[in-house]
Each structure stands twice: as C-alpha cells, then as structure tokens.
Amino acid sequence: MGSNFGWDYIYRAWGGEFVEIADWIGECFAQCDRLFRMPFHEPMSAFPVVQDVGLTGGSPRHSPDDLRSKFNLSAPKEKTALLTFGGLGLAEIPYHNLTRFPDWQFITTDKQAPDLPNLVNVGGTTFRPVDFMPLCGRVVSKPGFGTFSEACRLDVPIVSLTRDDFAEAACLLAGIRRHCFHRIITPAEFVEGDWDFLQAPLNPPETDLPLDKAGNEAIAQAVVNYFAKA
C-alpha cells in the first residue's frame, strides 16, 4: 500500500462506534506486506513494514510557452495563480474577488466558474492542474496530498485554507509549513475576505532540510525489484 494516512486514523477521530471500525481497519492494515509511507504523514503505526518514500505525483506534460500561447496567458508568473480544489470542492468560491486584481490571471478547473476576463477555465480539458503549476507564482487550494505534493515537487508556493473537519489536514499543513513557501488562511478569509492574502508576503519554510521528491521512482524500483526476485 501507499499513502500518507490510514483510514483507521480518520475514523478513530470520529469516536463512538467508529472506534471499533478503526480497530478493524487497523487489523486489516496489519496484514499489509509493505507500506510506502509518503511525506506529510501521520504515524501509520498499524502497518508492520514501513518504507518511507519521497513525494509522488504527476509531472507537467506541456511546455510553459505552449500553454501561454494556447490559453492567452500573459501575466508574469508572480501574478498568476492556480485555483484548484480537486474533489474537495467548495460550495461557493467568491470569484467576484478576482475583479480586484485586474492585472493578475487566474486558472481554474471549476466547470461552473463564471466568465471573467482574468479567469482561464481549463475544466473539462485534457490538461491537469500540474501542467499549469510551472506558470504560477502560487497555488490556492484546500489540504490535499496530491496538490500539495505536486506543488512541492515543482517548488511552487502554496496558499491553503485550513480544514478542521479533515483529520489529515493537520499533517498536510504541518508539512508545507516545514518545507514550502506558504500562507495558511481560514475559510472565513477565503469566503468573506477581499483576498488580500494574494499580495501578502509568503512565509518561508521552517526548515532547510531537503524534501525527498523521488517517491515515484522509489516505488517503481521496489516493484521492479520484487518481480525480479519472483
């Protein structure tokens, strides 16, 4: 298996009858031959064999110049932001705030986004968020391993909302605080504020320890080694 959290960790926090469910999940995890434990993780102590690996994720498939031309992106990198919330979609994104930044360009994958002059909607296309990250001065997101991992692999700063009802969020936010230029904002700042956080200075990483970014290769090599011995 490979992850940065186990479902026993998620359900145990719910308490009550979910404690018994978490115990059962932990017993299942105990039968795992090997866990590839990714960064920004909880202890994952139910797994008997743990191999720590680096960040995983996709890599951009298109050149920045091609994307700039195709989507008419002309703003400098420091004034280009990717808005991506994946499967953690918000009930309402205050897109009206984008009009306060006419010299910025924003990229979204939200198919329901309004038609605004400085908003490029790539939802429903074959392009992925990671394809646009090299063009961006920051990624605005909610806590999610995939987005955080891909942004960190490409050294793109992250502006993240907090998420108190998401047990994994604390591990993810602690990870980007340690290793990434970042800014953490509350849902109220995002929904009710005027988005001044876009122009606020980014916080530097708390440590200068290098972050392993070669999780894809480590897992692939382990698979190759396994079958080579079979």
Side-chain angles (χ1 to χ4, degrees):
M1 300 181 73
S3 186
N4 69 314
F5 72 93
W7 288 105
D8 56 333
Y9 176 76
I10 303 297
Y11 286 117
R12 195 174 303 283
W14 292 10
E17 63 184 331
F18 290 100
V19 173
E20 183 179 353
I21 295 174
D23 289 341
W24 170 73
I25 293 173
E27 292 170 2
C28 294
F29 285 163
Q31 301 174 51
C32 179
D33 293 320
R34 184 188 314 191
L35 166 73
F36 296 109
R37 187 171 63 180
M38 300 166 188
F40 314 154
H41 59 76
E42 50 100 352
M44 307 186 77
S45 55
F47 292 88
V49 180
V50 176
Q51 179 179 339
D52 284 317
V53 297
L55 295 172
T56 60
S59 299
R61 296 176 183 155
H62 306 273
S63 77
D65 287 342
D66 287 347
L67 291 177
R68 288 191 187 96
S69 176
K70 181 175 180 63
F71 292 99
N72 195 27
L73 298 169
S74 57
K77 184 174 182 176
E78 63 271 16
K79 290 189 175 182
T80 302
L82 174 65
L83 310 178
T84 178
F85 298 95
L88 309 175
L90 294 170
E92 182 178 355
I93 298 176
Y95 286 112
H96 63 272
N97 279 327
L98 273 57
T99 61
R100 299 186 62 251
F101 304 91
D103 56 338
W104 282 59
Q105 284 187 313
F106 299 89
I107 301 167
T108 182
T109 57
D110 178 10
K111 297 178 185 178
Q112 307 303 317
D115 185 12
L116 297 174
N118 61 342
L119 180 63
V120 175
N121 195 331
V122 298
T125 71
T126 58
F127 297 94
R128 304 160 301 154
V130 70
D131 292 323
F132 293 92
M133 286 184 185
L135 298 172
C136 298
R138 61 202 66 196
V139 171
V140 182
S141 179
K142 275 178 132 178
F145 178 81
T147 298
F148 280 16
S149 181
E150 289 176 341
C152 287
R153 291 177 79 222
L154 295 170
D155 296 318
V156 181
I158 297 170
V159 176
S160 178
L161 282 70
T162 56
R163 189 173 183 186
D164 295 336
D165 62 341
F166 192 43
E168 185 195 3
C171 302
L172 291 166
L173 294 175
I176 66 166
R177 285 189 178 102
R178 285 194 301 270
H179 297 288
C180 180
F181 278 90
H182 66 277
R183 191 164 190 86
I184 310 298
I185 60 175
T186 66
E189 288 178 274
F190 181 79
V191 175
E192 302 167 14
D194 54 13
W195 283 31
D196 280 349
F197 59 81
L198 284 176
Q199 302 187 97
L202 293 162
N203 297 309
E206 296 172 350
T207 176
D208 58 0
L209 295 175
L211 185 60
D212 184 354
K213 301 178 181 180
N216 290 349
E217 294 80 1
I219 295 172
Q221 189 61 56
V223 172
V224 169
N225 293 347
Y226 175 84
F227 284 106
K229 295 177 183 177

